[in-house]
Amino acid sequence: MKKTFTKMICLAAALFSFGAAQAQNAAVEDNEIFKLGVEARFDYLNEALAGKVDPTASGFKVRYFNLRMDGQITSKFSYSWRQRFNRVNSLSDFAENTDWLTLTYKPTPNWSISAGKQVVMIGGWEYDRAPMDLYFCSEFWNNVACYQLGASVSYTTEDGKDNVLFQVCQSPYQKSAANFVDGVKQHNLLAYNLYWTASYDWYTGLHSMNLVEYKRGKFDFYMVLGNQFKFGDAKIQLDLMERGTSFDDLDNFSIMGEFSYLIADRVNVFAKVTYDQASDVYAPGLYFAPGAQITRVGGGVEYYPLGGQGNRDVRLHAAYAYGMGDNPYGVIKDKSSYFTFGLTWRIDLMSAAEKLIRKVSNK
């Protein structure tokens, strides 16, 4: 563990040194080739079931510690990499905790082709938001393995308001207990994802249709309508997700809704509810036990100390949620409570290095 941690520190230091050196080059002054950032979130958690605190899940936690690197290699090639460090214990964990590592080729302003480890393109706002910006989520969100190897092609309309993407990638069920047949683990399970983004003034949609292989030749079908409505400083996000291993199965679905209101550009208050349901005949192992029905309700507050300048790089938060329903084998259980408060911060290392270099040069 110590050796692995030392390697990570050395890697981060080397990357920062490289970034600082590049910042002196006029060709990359605008951070077009190399953007490097660090983001972290620290929480105090209190998780309980029927009023009894779970000591293993409660206490002070490093929830997220991420390194992100982005860049424009040429006018047509770009890359993006995000790595989690808070759960790395070995080199194999290091690779597993690479959220994405993607190369994108853009032959025209409208078309782009990407390949590498990617986000599985499933619709919905809860799914789309960065994990460190969420405090409690649906049962589906808590189980889906959303980062997989794959490739995608997308088209953006001339006005930039619509984008359609098609992706082929490893199935999120690749590591599920459901992909064993006669005791033999199946490999190379695939998912086929059609994704549509629509942006029109007060409305933005993140919609998808997904065929997700859970056994060789057998698919779970998703239809997801992710809707966001903005009215001044108020925002409503409503996700509707239908799932099923057959097209006539309409009893497997999830609903996620959140209302938030930003006060004076510094304080954001929100209320959220999620509901997940699986039918009695739903294939076992697909994130839900057959017959599961679970609701989660809660809310919270976020405070941005630098919000007066529109800056979201530092955030304090507090949130509470309560679970109700029948879900004995899931993440969210009946009479479960969850409370958190903590601190999130983001640093653009390239901008910091540039400012430091300018300050030293002016002396």
Side-chain angles (χ1 to χ4, degrees):
M1 174 66 183
K2 290 183 178 179
K3 291 183 178 179
T4 303
F5 183 75
T6 302
K7 291 178 181 178
M8 292 189 298
I9 295 298
C10 291
L11 173 62
L15 290 171
F16 178 77
S17 299
F18 175 76
Q22 290 295 308
Q24 300 178 70
N25 188 328
V28 293
E29 268 193 358
D30 295 329
N31 285 348
E32 293 179 351
I33 293 178
F34 187 81
K35 297 180 182 178
L36 182 64
V38 172
E39 52 189 22
R41 181 177 134 195
F42 307 91
D43 289 56
Y44 176 81
L45 301 176
N46 183 290
E47 294 194 38
L49 184 61
K52 185 177 180 180
V53 175
D54 181 354
T56 61
S58 302
F60 288 99
K61 308 284 184 180
V62 180
R63 295 301 303 278
Y64 298 98
F65 175 34
N66 304 334
L67 174 72
R68 177 162 179 172
M69 189 189 307
D70 301 273
Q72 192 76 32
I73 301 173
T74 68
S75 61
K76 295 185 177 181
F77 282 95
S78 61
Y79 67 91
S80 183
W81 172 39
R82 190 174 78 184
Q83 185 71 41
R84 297 193 196 192
F85 287 107
N86 53 301
R87 294 182 303 191
V88 177
N89 293 307
S90 66
L91 290 178
S92 61
D93 286 340
F94 186 88
E96 187 67 23
N97 287 316
T98 299
D99 286 346
W100 63 73
L101 182 58
T102 304
L103 181 68
T104 299
Y105 171 60
K106 200 167 185 178
T108 73
N110 304 97
W111 289 93
S112 65
I113 303 168
S114 299
K117 193 170 186 182
Q118 303 181 328
V119 178
V120 181
M121 299 304 291
I122 300 171
W125 285 92
E126 182 189 60
Y127 180 87
D128 180 76
R129 289 166 61 181
M132 70 187 308
D133 293 331
L134 295 165
Y135 308 108
F136 57 90
C137 296
S138 64
E139 183 69 18
F140 177 83
W141 186 95
N142 276 286
N143 286 281
V144 63
C146 57
Y147 305 112
Q148 303 290 340
L149 293 172
S152 61
V153 57
S154 69
Y155 175 79
T156 303
T157 57
E158 291 292 341
D159 59 10
K161 293 183 177 180
D162 294 271
N163 176 270
V164 178
L165 177 147
F166 178 71
Q167 179 190 55
V168 179
C169 65
Q170 290 176 319
S171 168
Y173 294 129
Q174 183 88 2
K175 296 181 180 179
S176 170
N179 73 352
F180 282 82
V181 175
D182 297 326
V184 178
K185 180 178 175 63
Q186 297 184 78
H187 298 278
N188 301 321
L189 301 179
L190 297 176
Y192 305 90
N193 310 304
L194 183 62
Y195 191 88
W196 171 35
T197 303
S199 301
Y200 291 90
D201 299 324
W202 53 271
Y203 174 78
T204 306
L206 304 177
H207 311 309
S208 75
M209 297 178 65
N210 312 84
L211 279 174
V212 186
E213 196 172 25
Y214 67 95
K215 287 185 181 179
R216 193 63 54 80
K218 294 187 177 182
F219 293 87
D220 197 7
F221 173 73
Y222 303 164
M223 179 177 288
V224 189
L225 301 177
N227 307 281
Q228 177 175 272
F229 308 90
K230 294 190 70 173
F231 308 97
D233 293 325
K235 182 167 60 181
I236 298 173
Q237 294 180 343
L238 178 62
D239 300 332
L240 307 173
M241 180 181 195
E242 177 70 29
R243 301 179 305 275
T245 53
S246 63
F247 290 105
D248 59 351
D249 186 357
L250 301 178
D251 294 326
N252 304 291
F253 60 89
S254 296
I255 301 173
M256 308 84 159
E258 180 177 317
F259 171 80
S260 62
Y261 189 81
L262 185 64
I263 304 170
D265 210 30
R266 290 181 183 270
V267 179
N268 184 57
V269 293
F270 66 92
K272 181 176 179 179
V273 59
T274 69
Y275 177 77
D276 299 276
Q277 176 176 306
S279 69
D280 292 333
V281 296
Y282 196 51
L286 301 187
Y287 306 149
F288 300 91
Q293 297 183 34
I294 191 70
T295 302
R296 204 175 208 184
V297 296
V301 59
E302 300 171 321
Y303 173 63
Y304 299 94
L306 306 178
Q309 293 77 40
N311 190 311
R312 299 291 183 267
D313 290 342
V314 179
R315 180 183 68 210
L316 297 170
H317 70 263
Y320 176 83
Y322 188 79
M324 302 167 287
D326 183 14
N327 192 37
Y329 305 108
V331 176
I332 309 169
K333 294 181 172 59
D334 184 38
K335 299 180 181 178
S336 62
S337 64
Y338 172 91
F339 172 73
T340 176
F341 69 85
L343 168 69
T344 304
W345 52 266
R346 293 177 168 91
I347 296 177
D348 183 338
L349 295 181
M350 286 298 297
S351 296
E354 289 178 6
K355 290 178 181 178
L356 179 61
I357 291 170
R358 292 193 186 101
K359 185 176 181 179
V360 172
S361 300
N362 292 333
K363 287 185 177 180

